[in-house]
């Protein structure tokens, strides 16, 4: 491997006829946008003789010298932003770059907010579970299904319980029947070593559950705000 400045040229290219071509190709790569930053070039950072200019409203202005495009950007009090660096000539648009970045960030934030992530919750039970504990566990499963999450139910066998797998099977069937209005059996009960596993899937999608939760929260907030001003009036009436 030969070293030439900041460029590492392969040994097969270090012949006198190919050395200059390799270095020139590396320089051209850096010039065309081989930089680490993903931000588009704007205004004085654009280093080309001419650009294909797009107006603020999306109208096609045509191919103009870079100096003319910068002059128009200054005249409209906008930025000249390179939107297609690989085109020949590069495509630039007149826009308010600060406003554009803000709106893009808000759209990305809203998209992440509405994005549904598939989550699998897990609930562990024993074959001879106490009725009170069963009701508590079932309440957690109901809450998970209402949130649009899948639930993995695990029956843990210990000692002699391993010879009675039908106890775990009946318990899983009972739980599935108790929550059938909210979920369904996505994966039938199966033995996995000392455990028996079943997966319940929600009837509602995650996005629907999130939307309903936001609506309920907004309704509760509006109810609290509507009830707050009524209290002073009632106290005044009693006085």
């Amino acid at each position: 491997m030969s070293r030439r400045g900041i460029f590492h040229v392969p040994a097969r290219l270090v012949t006198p006829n190919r050395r200059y071509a390799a270095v020139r190709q590396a320089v051209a790569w850096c010039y065309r946008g081989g930089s680490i930053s993903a931000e588009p070039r704007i205004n004085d950072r654009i280093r080309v003789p001419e650009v294909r200019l797009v107006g603020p409203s999306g109208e096609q202005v045509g191919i103009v010298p870079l100096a003319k495009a910068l002059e128009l950007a200054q005249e409209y009090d906008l930025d000249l932003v390179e939107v297609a660096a690989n085109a020949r000539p590069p495509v630039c648009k007149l826009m308010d770059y600060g406003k554009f970045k803000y709106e893009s960030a808000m759209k990305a934030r809203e998209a992440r907010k509405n994005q549904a992530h598939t989550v699998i919750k897990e609930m562990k039970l024993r074959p001879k579970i106490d009725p009170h504990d069963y009701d508590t566990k079932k309440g957690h499963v109901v809450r998970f299904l209402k949130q649009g999450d899948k639930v993995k139910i695990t029956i843990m066998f210990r000692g002699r319980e391993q010879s009675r797998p039908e106890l775990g099977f009946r318990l899983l069937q009972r739980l599935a029947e108790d929550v059938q209005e909210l979920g369904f059996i996505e994966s039938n009960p199966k033995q996995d070593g000392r455990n028996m596993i079943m997966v319940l899937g929600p009837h509602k999608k995650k996005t629907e559950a999130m939307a309903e939760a936001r609506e309920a929260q907004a309704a509760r907030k509006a109810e609290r705000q509507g009830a707050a001003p009524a209290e002073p009036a009632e106290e005044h009436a009693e006085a």
Side-chain angles (χ1 to χ4, degrees):
M1 188 73 70
S2 177
R3 187 181 297 272
R4 294 292 185 271
I6 63 172
F7 306 109
H8 301 279
V9 184
R12 62 184 180 83
L13 297 179
V14 186
T15 59
N17 296 334
R18 296 183 179 179
R19 181 184 302 124
Y20 177 72
V23 174
R24 183 177 180 181
Q25 182 179 4
V27 172
W29 177 83
C30 292
Y31 181 78
R32 286 197 300 266
S35 59
I36 299 177
S37 176
E39 294 287 334
R41 295 185 294 185
I42 64 172
N43 299 330
D44 296 338
R45 296 180 183 177
I46 302 174
R47 303 292 185 180
V48 291
E50 59 183 13
V51 299
R52 185 179 298 276
L53 186 61
V54 180
S57 302
E59 66 275 12
Q60 297 290 333
V61 179
I63 299 176
V64 299
L66 177 61
K68 179 64 175 178
L70 291 173
E71 181 181 346
L72 290 174
Q74 187 175 5
E75 180 180 348
Y76 287 101
D77 194 20
L78 296 173
D79 298 305
L80 182 66
V81 182
E82 189 178 53
V83 295
N86 295 329
R88 291 293 177 268
V91 180
C92 297
K93 185 176 181 180
L94 298 175
M95 67 173 72
D96 186 342
Y97 187 59
K99 181 180 179 181
F100 171 76
K101 288 188 64 176
Y102 173 78
E103 292 177 350
S104 300
M106 293 301 294
K107 290 179 181 179
R109 180 181 177 184
E110 190 67 21
R112 289 193 301 269
K113 181 179 178 181
N114 295 329
Q115 186 176 5
H117 298 279
T118 301
V119 179
I120 299 180
K121 304 290 186 177
E122 185 174 8
M123 188 60 57
K124 296 181 179 180
L125 295 83
R126 294 292 306 279
K128 298 179 181 180
I129 188 172
D130 183 81
H132 177 72
D133 293 338
Y134 173 81
D135 293 336
T136 302
K137 300 282 188 178
K138 184 181 71 173
H140 292 313
V141 174
V142 168
R143 177 165 54 87
F144 294 149
L145 293 175
K146 285 183 177 180
Q147 294 174 354
D149 297 324
K150 297 181 181 180
V151 187
K152 176 183 176 182
I153 312 297
T154 303
I155 304 295
M156 301 180 297
F157 296 94
R158 293 180 182 177
R160 297 181 179 179
E161 294 175 348
Q162 299 182 44
S163 61
R164 301 289 304 277
E166 67 276 4
L167 296 178
F169 183 80
R170 285 200 295 265
L171 182 59
L172 291 176
Q173 289 293 331
R174 174 189 172 188
L175 180 60
E177 292 176 359
D178 290 343
V179 299
Q180 60 182 350
E181 295 182 358
L182 299 173
F184 61 95
I185 300 178
E186 185 173 291
S187 178
N188 291 318
K190 62 180 180 180
Q191 194 75 24
D192 184 13
R194 295 184 178 182
N195 300 328
M196 182 175 289
I197 298 173
M198 180 182 70
V199 178
L200 296 175
H203 290 308
K204 293 182 180 179
K205 296 182 179 179
K206 184 71 173 180
T207 52
E208 296 177 357
M210 292 171 60
E212 291 183 0
R214 286 196 296 267
E215 291 177 359
Q217 184 179 4
R220 290 193 299 267
K221 183 177 179 181
E223 184 178 354
R224 288 195 300 267
Q225 291 177 351
E231 295 179 358
E234 293 177 358
E235 294 177 358
H236 180 71
E238 293 176 358

